[in-house]
Amino acid sequence: MPRYELALIVKTMQRPETAALLRRTVETLMERGAVVRNLENLGERLLPYQITKHGERHARGGYFMVDFHASPDILPALLNHLHRDVDVVRPTVLKKDAQVPRSNCCGSQQ
């Protein structure tokens, strides 16, 4: 199974509501057969621009990264589910490379 990273921007909420959203998201991943490796809180920040989602305007958001392994077949349904979640402002799934190539700073190979 390939390795993916889910970048979530969630609306600003109290800690219990944020925890419930993250629990829902991780449970959704696991129900679809994903193996969640890590969940990282990147903090709350100003958004680069205001985003309107589900009739609300958002200027701030909580940033989270979820590292997981999953079949590529689940990604469309997962993104559809996250786009419909009223607490998620912006979900993005990125495929992670299995091995990051090492290179010298000046680009020469030895």
Side-chain angles (χ1 to χ4, degrees):
M1 286 192 293
R3 186 172 175 187
Y4 295 97
E5 199 168 61
L6 171 63
L8 281 177
I9 301 175
V10 302
K11 70 182 189 179
T12 305
M13 301 179 286
Q14 296 294 322
R15 183 171 275 191
E17 290 88 5
T18 303
L21 165 65
L22 294 173
R23 188 177 308 112
R24 274 195 322 261
T25 302
V26 170
E27 285 175 357
T28 300
L29 281 165
M30 292 191 309
E31 286 171 359
R32 289 174 164 79
V35 177
V36 177
R37 295 173 46 102
N38 191 24
L39 171 64
E40 186 177 355
N41 181 354
L42 302 176
E44 185 178 305
R45 304 178 192 171
L46 282 173
L47 298 176
Y49 51 89
Q50 285 194 355
I51 299 173
T52 302
K53 187 74 178 230
H54 298 291
E56 295 181 45
R57 294 178 64 93
H58 303 280
R60 296 187 66 80
Y63 286 70
F64 294 90
M65 297 294 278
V66 181
D67 188 7
F68 66 98
H69 288 275
S71 169
D73 301 337
I74 73 162
L75 296 180
L78 172 68
L79 284 172
N80 183 34
H81 173 78
L82 291 172
H83 281 292
R84 288 185 288 124
D85 193 325
V86 295
D87 295 331
V88 175
V89 175
R90 175 81 38 93
T92 306
V93 175
L94 303 169
K95 185 173 182 181
K96 291 186 80 169
D97 291 334
Q99 187 73 301
V100 177
R102 294 195 134 179
S103 63
N104 295 338
C105 65
C106 52
S108 65
Q109 295 184 3
Q110 295 179 358

